[in-house]
């Protein structure tokens, strides 16, 4: 399967797609959007930028680290130039919100809240966040749709996160063996 086929299969298998701050601020993500804009448009899919992610971008734009500031500005510009494929959950932001927002908690909350209704994809280059998001699939009290986790590499390809690969391999290797009368 080519990467383009993997992306199409993954995007078309979910109803909600969320992205985190660190991914928006990578050059690989810009290439990902260039390469896949037509897919998102033709499949009527939107990439959701939660309010907390947008707030973190605002904080990074004011950073004294010029590299971080430039990457955040490039992310906001990318969103603005591709309004047809991004859904930005923004509102007026206070200085306190900008200073204290932590998007990971909101992303996990959003995934949990909508898990009972739909399959979702989180695009994140944060390993710890991807593991926590994927582990939502293991919840016993809140069953529902799948949470997929992917990251975007430096050349704009979407890849399955290691935690998803490991957990799927681990589950199949360590699955209980059912003993039938024929095997006795």
């Amino acid at each position: 399967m080519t990467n383009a086929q993997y992306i199409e299969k993954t995007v078309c298998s979910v109803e909600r797609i969320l992205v985190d701050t660190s991914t928006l601020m990578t050059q690989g993500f810009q290439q990902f959007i260039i390469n896949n804009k037509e897919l998102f448009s033709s499949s009527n899919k939107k990439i959701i930028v939660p309010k907390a992610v947008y707030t973190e971008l605002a904080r990074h734009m004011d950073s004294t680290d010029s590299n971080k500031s430039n990457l955040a500005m490039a992310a906001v510009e990318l969103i603005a130039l591709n309004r047809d494929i991004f859904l930005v959950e923004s509102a007026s932001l206070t200085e306190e919100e900008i200073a204290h927002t932590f998007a990971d908690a909101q992303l996990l909350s959003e995934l949990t809240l909508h898990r009972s209704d739909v399959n979702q994809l989180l695009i994140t280059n944060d390993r710890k966040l991807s593991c926590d998001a994927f582990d939502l699939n293991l919840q016993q009290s809140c069953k529902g749709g799948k949470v997929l986790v992917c990251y975007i590499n430096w050349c704009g390809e979407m890849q399955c996160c290691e935690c998803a690969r490991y957990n799927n391999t681990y589950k199949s290797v360590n699955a209980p063996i059912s003993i039938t009368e024929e095997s006795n």
Side-chain angles (χ1 to χ4, degrees):
M1 175 183 303
T2 67
N3 192 257
Q5 290 168 323
Y6 172 72
I7 293 168
E8 182 175 5
K9 178 183 173 190
T10 303
V11 166
C12 292
S13 71
V14 298
E15 289 77 29
R16 296 183 80 237
I17 302 167
L18 292 97
V19 65
D20 77 339
T21 312
S22 64
T23 302
L24 280 166
M25 291 174 56
T26 63
Q27 291 179 345
F29 189 72
Q30 292 177 6
Q31 189 62 48
F32 172 77
I33 295 301
I34 292 167
N35 295 346
N36 296 288
K37 184 174 181 166
E38 182 57 38
L39 169 65
F40 283 96
S41 295
S42 67
S43 62
N44 201 28
K45 299 288 181 165
K46 301 266 188 197
I47 299 172
I48 300 168
V49 180
K51 180 181 177 186
V53 169
Y54 196 74
T55 304
E56 280 187 346
L57 286 175
R59 180 173 60 236
H60 293 319
M61 286 191 322
D62 279 342
S63 174
T64 57
D65 179 340
S66 62
N67 185 47
K68 189 178 280 191
S69 177
N70 290 337
L71 290 171
M73 283 191 255
V76 170
E77 184 178 347
L78 179 71
I79 293 167
L81 293 172
N82 295 282
R83 292 180 191 197
D84 55 329
I85 61 171
F86 284 99
L87 175 61
V88 180
E89 297 176 342
S90 64
S92 298
L93 304 173
T94 66
E95 290 296 323
E96 186 175 334
E97 283 178 309
I98 292 172
H100 299 290
T101 296
F102 181 61
D104 291 8
Q106 184 184 345
L107 286 164
L108 292 171
S109 175
E110 289 274 324
L111 291 167
T112 302
L113 182 64
H114 294 280
R115 188 165 169 260
S116 62
D117 303 328
V118 296
N119 292 325
Q120 302 172 91
L121 168 63
L122 173 63
I123 303 173
T124 179
N125 286 25
D126 179 327
R127 288 178 191 253
K128 290 179 182 178
L129 177 58
S130 66
C131 289
D132 289 344
F134 188 78
D135 285 348
L136 293 173
N137 292 307
L138 303 175
Q139 290 182 333
Q140 296 296 307
S141 62
C142 300
K143 296 185 183 224
K146 290 192 181 271
V147 175
L148 307 177
V149 288
C150 293
Y151 69 95
I152 306 299
N153 68 16
W154 62 272
C155 60
E157 297 172 332
M158 189 168 75
Q159 306 287 319
C160 181
C161 287
E162 287 297 316
C163 61
R165 284 191 202 129
Y166 170 77
N167 282 337
N168 286 338
T169 303
Y170 179 81
K171 286 177 195 167
S172 63
V173 169
N174 294 305
I177 300 170
S178 61
I179 299 175
T180 62
E181 287 186 20
E182 291 175 1
S183 61
N184 287 335

